[in-house]
Amino acid sequence: MLPAIFGISGPELTADERAFFKDADPAGYILFARNCENRDQMRALTDDLRSIHGRDRLIVSIDQEGGRVVRMKPPEWPKYPAGEAFARLFEIAPASAIEAARVNAEAMARELALVGVSVDYHAPFDVRRPETDDVIGDRSLGSHPMQVAALGRAVLDGMSHAGVVGCLKHMPGHGRATVDSHKMLPRVEASDAELETDIEPFRTLAAHPLGMSAHIVFTAWDEERPATLSPTVIDKVIRGRIGFDGLLLTDDIDMQALDGSIPDRSEKALAAGCDIVLNCWAKMDDQIAIAERLGAMSAETASRLDRVHAMMGEPAECADTEELLAKRDALLAIAEATA
């Protein structure tokens, strides 16, 4: 199996994509708005992907957080709030905020499961600060590590109850970045001691089987290389101090924070200690080049991937989506009533 996750160009597979994916056998796929027209179309697409590989347990992933970061959009799908809504409620009623975040995530994940999505790159465990760039902004679950960990755990639990695997991102923390890593490389000058605040939420949830790296230079740990490409950050911080031994994905390898060709970046990320390269833009030339450059995944990566697969499943029996959303809205109304 190829240690890569690939994007898809449209609402259905092209003949070239189907042939390439069958031959390359990537670890999984990521969907964007271009792939999400309606429920029937999405289910047909995800069923098609599984038929290529002949296995039900497959990473079919998406960025569906709520707020600005949604791929499955209204009116076809319900509208979900950004993380800031739960962070505001936490300041007033922490237990209510945790429950609101959990039922919101479960409702969202039930919609994902119905269309064959098995992994959601949610929740951001980035601790927000006054200088945090808007690329995180209202996506954050708060400015205190304990709060971020508590709400993040609720999101992961809610999604798991619906059979969908969530993700710890962006390790070891995106909250101190003052520029958007989609556009340029952030450099964080904080000390090692100061960065304890950033890694604390990840350490709390380190047993979770899936995480994503950050394209950020942390000068206290590696003055030259962003975390995604840094053996020091991955081995000493993410694997060591955080204690994360799950499947570590790169953030999108095509982001402008990184230099060099796409296959060069991909090779360097795996050499640094990432398990899987995430390539989002469905550019066939890049995907072919990645497949030619990378070998089959290691036994250690395959074992970590198995743990992600094992967490996928059928939704548990409980309230339906409308009931979950009604409960969420009632809880979030507490914050509105006290505003």
Side-chain angles (χ1 to χ4, degrees):
M1 194 182 300
L2 185 73
I5 290 172
F6 288 143
I8 299 157
S9 61
E12 59 185 30
L13 294 177
T14 66
D16 286 345
E17 285 173 330
R18 185 177 287 104
F20 170 68
F21 294 153
K22 184 175 179 62
D23 182 61
D25 193 21
Y29 304 92
I30 181 168
L31 306 181
F32 284 84
R34 63 181 181 264
N35 311 118
C36 306
E37 293 183 344
N38 58 65
R39 289 172 171 82
D40 289 343
Q41 167 269 323
M42 280 194 73
R43 188 74 222 198
L45 174 59
T46 60
D47 285 349
D48 200 5
L49 291 171
R50 288 182 170 85
S51 72
I52 290 172
H53 302 281
R55 58 180 183 268
D56 289 334
R57 292 186 183 254
L58 177 71
I59 291 180
V60 180
S61 61
I62 200 165
D63 288 300
Q64 188 80 356
E65 296 179 11
R68 292 173 290 134
V69 182
V70 289
R71 314 308 184 200
M72 297 160 57
K73 302 181 180 185
E76 181 70 16
W77 288 281
K79 184 177 181 180
Y80 294 91
E84 186 175 4
F86 307 100
R88 286 198 306 267
L89 179 56
F90 194 94
E91 295 174 3
I92 301 162
S96 295
I98 290 168
E99 180 63 4
R102 187 193 68 77
V103 297
N104 179 74
E106 182 172 346
M108 184 187 300
R110 284 178 173 272
E111 293 286 346
L112 299 179
L114 285 172
V115 296
V117 174
S118 56
V119 168
D120 188 6
Y121 299 129
H122 186 36
F125 279 71
D126 309 305
V127 179
R128 186 167 57 190
R129 300 175 54 80
E131 70 269 26
T132 301
D133 187 83
D134 284 345
V135 71
I136 299 299
D138 65 359
R139 298 163 62 191
S140 173
L141 294 168
S143 301
H144 191 282
M146 188 256 324
Q147 174 180 328
V148 172
L151 290 173
R153 185 193 299 274
V155 170
L156 297 178
D157 287 348
M159 287 192 290
S160 178
H161 207 241
V164 174
V165 184
C167 182
L168 305 176
K169 69 179 189 184
H170 307 80
M171 303 174 85
H174 212 297
R176 292 180 189 269
T178 57
V179 297
D180 182 353
S181 55
H182 293 86
K183 301 174 182 178
M184 60 186 71
L185 177 62
R187 291 182 64 85
V188 169
E189 307 285 345
S191 70
D192 178 84
E194 289 170 329
L195 289 167
E196 275 290 308
T197 298
D198 301 71
I199 67 176
E200 186 178 334
F202 296 105
R203 187 158 49 207
T204 302
L205 278 299
H208 190 71
L210 184 64
M212 180 183 289
S213 69
H215 299 335
I216 298 175
V217 170
F218 296 89
T219 59
W221 298 325
D222 189 328
E223 291 189 355
E224 301 297 329
R225 293 167 295 193
T228 299
L229 306 182
S230 172
T232 301
V233 175
I234 292 174
D235 181 54
K236 303 297 185 183
V237 180
I238 294 176
R239 300 298 190 193
R241 284 167 62 180
I242 291 175
F244 178 72
D245 189 38
L247 191 74
L248 183 64
L249 313 183
T250 71
D251 204 344
D252 180 14
I253 206 69
D254 209 7
M255 287 161 60
Q256 294 177 42
L258 305 181
D259 292 328
S261 71
I262 299 303
D264 283 348
R265 300 175 188 186
S266 302
E267 195 169 45
K268 289 177 181 178
L270 293 194
C274 291
D275 290 300
I276 301 284
V277 171
L278 179 62
N279 181 241
C280 296
W281 292 101
K283 299 173 184 176
M284 185 58 75
D285 288 349
D286 286 343
Q287 293 176 337
I288 291 171
I290 289 171
E292 290 174 344
R293 186 72 66 87
L294 304 183
M297 70 173 57
S298 68
E300 187 174 36
T301 292
S303 177
R304 289 170 175 154
L305 178 59
D306 284 344
R307 299 202 324 255
V308 175
H309 286 165
M311 199 171 180
M312 299 172 184
E314 294 298 320
E317 291 294 332
C318 76
D320 63 22
T321 300
E322 289 187 4
E323 291 176 281
L324 292 167
L325 293 178
K327 184 175 184 180
R328 175 204 67 191
D329 291 342
L331 292 166
L332 290 178
I334 296 170
E336 295 174 5
T338 58

